[in-house]
């Protein structure tokens, strides 16, 4: 099992220097990854400064040499695919091939889309997500791309350099369980990053639900595996190592391959540097 630290891209973590500090501390303490949020607007947290996730991850890459890096998760329909492909490939080169790309619709939908006059019908966003993911994987190849789809068009374009990782960075897909469609989508890529209707951000999910989700995704795996498939769960665990192990050990047994350590979303420490560093320095809750 691997272990990551998860931080928002606002509050103290809008400052790339703070994110670099977190990344360096996480690497030194034995964590395996650092993931940041990707929001341009989240009205629940309005009044705070927000940072661009790719700039934050650039700062993290420059201060580390081992841990995996990414945004958890990137709302692909909010981006132009060519812009996003460039950003991810550039970070993959800078980090020496350490990027993980986690994708989804993003949210809150009203904040992230309707606030800027963008279409926000979930089915339309899902179409843009699927078409965008296909384009990203083709752009990362460095080969010429011709595409005429419902939402995007590309005319004989090769984006160089290709990503360091081949055929591209691992792609994880997020979504709320028990909604089935996002997990069917995840089954076609490299990993699933579920949130749970019964255990929101920062809360440890129910083991029975995790087993059900793992079984559902495995049943829908039809692609030939080029990489191990990852099940990425998250929540807040105690500083006490034994108690933390008790919290996630059953999830590992149920199929989880990554544990993503998160602050409780409604808690006062969500976007503050000091409590996050305290948790990092206690070390990952290894099982």
């Amino acid at each position: 099992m691997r272990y990551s630290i998860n931080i928002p891209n606002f509050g103290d973590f809008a400052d790339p220097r703070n994110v670099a500090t977190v990344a360096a501390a996480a690497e030194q303490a034995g964590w395996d990854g650092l993931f940041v949020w990707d929001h341009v607007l989240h009205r629940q947290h309005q009044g705070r400064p927000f940072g661009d996730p790719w700039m934050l991850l650039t700062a993290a890459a420059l201060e580390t040499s081992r841990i995996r890096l990414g945004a958890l998760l990137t709302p692909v329909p909010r981006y132009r695919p060519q812009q996003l492909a460039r950003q991810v490939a550039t970070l993959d080169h800078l980090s020496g091939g350490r990027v993980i790309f986690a994708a989804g619709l993003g949210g809150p939908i009203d904040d992230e889309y309707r606030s800027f006059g963008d279409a926000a019908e979930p089915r339309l966003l899902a179409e843009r997500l699927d078409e965008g993911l296909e384009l990203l994987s083709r752009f990362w190849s460095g080969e010429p791309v011709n595409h005429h789809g419902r939402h995007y068009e590309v005319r004989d374009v090769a984006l160089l350099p290709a990503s360091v990782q081949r055929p591209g960075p691992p792609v994880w897909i997020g979504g709320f369980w028990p909604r089935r469609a996002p997990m069917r989508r995840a089954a076609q890529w490299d990993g699933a990053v579920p949130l749970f209707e019964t255990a929101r951000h920062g809360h440890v999910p129910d083991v029975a639900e995790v087993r059900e989700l793992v079984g559902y995704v495995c049943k829908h795996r039809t692609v030939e595996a080029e990489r191990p498939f990852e099940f990425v769960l998250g929540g807040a665990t105690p500083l006490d190592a034994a108690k933390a192990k008790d919290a996630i050990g059953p999830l590992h047994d149920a199929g989880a391959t990554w544990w993503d350590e998160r602050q409780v979303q409604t808690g006062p420490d969500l976007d503050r540097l000091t409590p996050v560093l305290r948790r990092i320095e206690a070390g990952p809750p290894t099982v």
Side-chain angles (χ1 to χ4, degrees), residues 29-88:
W31 297 81
D32 300 298
L34 172 68
F35 297 107
V36 304
W37 298 12
D38 185 343
H39 289 293
V40 291
L41 178 64
H42 197 308
R43 294 193 188 276
Q44 182 180 338
H45 304 289
Q46 61 187 347
R48 295 169 167 89
F50 278 65
D52 177 82
W54 304 104
M55 296 295 291
L56 301 178
L57 290 167
T58 296
L62 290 170
E63 290 296 320
T64 57
S65 62
R66 178 185 59 80
I67 60 172
R68 305 303 297 264
L69 302 166
L72 199 60
L73 49 73
T74 296
V76 171
R78 207 187 68 212
Y79 285 85
R80 300 297 296 175
Q82 63 271 24
Q83 171 202 11
L84 188 54
R86 283 283 199 209
Q87 290 170 310
V88 175

Side-chain angles (χ1 to χ4, degrees), residues 69 101 113 205 252 269 274:
L69 302 166
F101 185 74
Y113 293 96
H252 171 263
D269 294 339
T274 300

